[in-house]
Amino acid sequence: MSAVSFDPARTPLDPAAPDLAAGFENWHSDTRTRVLAELADFLRQARVKELPDVGVDEVLAQYAIGGKCLRSGFMYLGWLCAGAPDAAAVRAAASLELLHAFALLQDDVMDDAVLRRGSDAAHVRLNARFGGRAGAVPGFGTSAATLLGDMCLVWSEQMLRESGVGTDALARLWPRYDAMRIELAVGQFADLANDVRERPSLDTVLGIARAKSGNYTVRRPLELGAALAGASESMLTCLGDYGTRIGEAFQLRDDLLGIFGADSVTGKPQDSDLGQHKATSVVVAALELARGSAHRELADLVDRPELDAAAIARCRTLIAASGAPEQIEDMIAERVRDAGRALRDCALGPDQHVALEQMALQCSARQL
């Protein structure tokens, strides 16, 4: 996936905002291109000259400009469900990529992750660039990544506030925006304690995933964009119902990828979820479904303080044999069907309806 550098001189943006009338594929590609260009332009202007040359620009390019722009795409689509194509709305939606960069930086520090999007995680990269220099404090990379995450959190609100969207529209958004950020932090708190060795129930795991990732990925961005455009309460309710279900489908797919996905697809080590004892839906479902000696063996493996490559490979085999992947696939399909039913209650134009259906497929049908 290509990323946009924010180092070269600014290239003027096309003044036309992406329009669904061009068809979903064109709209989706144009929206991502525009979002990345807006981010590059913002970061170029926000660049802090006082920061030491420790690779900050490279980290920002990796974390803020290296993604699929899923959340910003949903936010702009929420706008288009109630408003006309608008360049300021695209800039407002692009700000969510900086909020996402904050969340990723924070998550990688807490998980002590080694990879993000196929490259060294930020704290690893920053420590390699500066941590070995004379006078560098211990844990330089972790501290620097944390501070950079804080800056992304501030920048995300600044970019939204300065997007060009009117103050009345922003006033409709702020309560939902604040609620989303608190919900994300609460989900992270819960995730910290969500260890598979504590044997949480599948309902508990799904609730944590919904708060930490599902709502924040689909439902809240859709609601933010629609509220910004002045959508009716009935529209916000129906988009929220759709977003809840597709957000859950997204997280369930992510859990499957966390166990069986290739590094080239996830951009993270294939053993990260099992190696970190994460109580994901797939692992918890496997523990509930496995019987007899298979259950005892899987329980013994996940209870070990550390899992080597052979133990992780055996866990995958036992999880696959338990029927858990099939159960999670059924749960994904059920949520996509329910989301489709929710859309039938929305007063949407045909282009918006098609776009939401296609976005649902992109969230739920990612390749292993």
Side-chain angles (χ1 to χ4, degrees):
M1 181 178 297
S2 61
V4 176
S5 169
F6 54 89
D7 288 331
R10 181 177 184 269
T11 300
L13 297 171
D14 182 349
D19 189 345
L20 280 171
F24 174 76
E25 293 298 333
N26 287 334
W27 172 83
H28 187 256
S29 175
D30 289 349
T31 299
R32 181 173 183 270
T33 298
R34 181 60 182 252
V35 163
L36 294 180
E38 294 286 2
L39 283 165
D41 189 49
F42 177 87
L43 288 171
R44 187 182 298 109
Q45 296 181 57
R47 196 167 188 266
V48 181
K49 295 175 181 166
E50 292 81 6
L51 282 179
D53 181 20
V54 295
V56 166
D57 288 352
E58 291 89 343
V59 170
L60 288 172
Q62 176 186 7
Y63 279 74
I65 313 184
K68 301 178 181 69
C69 300
L70 190 60
R71 291 153 192 84
S72 52
F74 270 118
M75 183 169 168
Y76 185 53
L77 182 52
W79 168 279
L80 291 177
C81 286
D86 188 89
V90 177
R91 283 192 292 276
S95 71
L96 283 190
E97 298 305 315
L98 287 167
L99 180 62
H100 188 47
F102 152 75
L104 295 179
L105 285 160
Q106 186 182 68
D107 201 50
D108 284 352
V109 166
M110 289 191 294
D111 289 348
D112 197 22
V114 296
L115 287 179
R116 172 64 64 182
R117 293 173 174 164
S119 300
D120 287 344
H123 57 283
V124 177
R125 183 191 293 266
L126 292 168
N127 202 60
R129 284 286 297 270
F130 194 79
R133 297 186 187 181
V137 298
F140 173 86
T142 297
S143 299
T146 300
L147 291 170
L148 189 55
D150 292 343
M151 293 170 68
C152 287
L153 180 62
V154 174
W155 280 333
S156 65
E157 184 172 329
Q158 179 187 349
M159 187 176 185
L160 177 56
R161 192 174 60 246
E162 298 175 356
S163 63
V165 174
T167 54
D168 289 344
L170 287 172
R172 293 191 295 267
L173 173 142
W174 292 128
R176 294 177 183 275
Y177 187 72
D178 291 340
M180 177 184 69
R181 290 185 293 180
I182 292 297
E183 186 177 54
L184 174 61
V186 170
Q188 284 280 30
F189 262 111
D191 192 49
L192 284 174
N194 192 30
D195 192 306
V196 69
R197 291 166 292 190
E198 298 296 324
R199 300 294 190 270
S201 70
L202 186 56
D203 284 344
T204 297
V205 170
L206 290 174
I208 293 170
R210 188 180 306 121
K212 181 192 172 191
S213 179
N215 281 351
Y216 152 74
T217 299
V218 184
R219 178 183 175 182
R220 301 308 183 197
L222 265 178
E223 291 177 337
L224 290 176
L228 206 62
S232 66
E233 284 301 318
S234 60
M235 174 71 75
L236 287 165
T237 297
C238 115
L239 289 177
D241 289 344
Y242 160 93
T244 296
R245 289 161 175 79
I246 296 305
E248 290 179 0
F250 171 86
Q251 186 55 53
L252 290 167
R253 176 62 63 197
D254 204 57
D255 288 350
L256 280 170
L257 288 166
I259 303 297
F260 300 106
D263 297 3
S264 59
V265 174
T266 65
K268 298 182 289 186
Q270 195 179 30
D271 61 356
S272 59
D273 281 3
L274 289 167
Q276 294 171 12
H277 296 94
K278 290 188 176 182
T280 68
S281 61
V282 182
V283 180
V284 171
L287 286 166
E288 291 183 357
L289 290 170
R291 295 290 181 267
S293 60
H295 178 273
R296 289 191 294 273
E297 184 180 2
L298 181 59
D300 174 70
L301 285 168
V302 299
D303 282 341
R304 293 181 184 178
E306 294 184 7
L307 296 175
D308 60 18
I312 287 173
R314 182 58 181 161
C315 282
R316 284 199 197 92
T317 298
L318 292 167
I319 290 169
S322 72
E326 291 80 9
Q327 177 177 333
I328 301 302
E329 290 284 3
D330 288 343
M331 292 170 69
I332 292 171
E334 178 184 20
R335 281 153 177 77
V336 173
R337 287 194 298 270
D338 288 346
R341 284 191 283 269
L343 287 182
R344 290 201 289 268
D345 297 329
C346 282
L348 293 168
D351 291 336
Q352 287 81 355
H353 198 284
V354 168
L356 286 165
E357 287 182 333
Q358 290 299 312
M359 291 291 279
L361 292 176
Q362 290 201 3
C363 286
S364 61
R366 291 172 294 161
Q367 296 296 313
L368 293 174

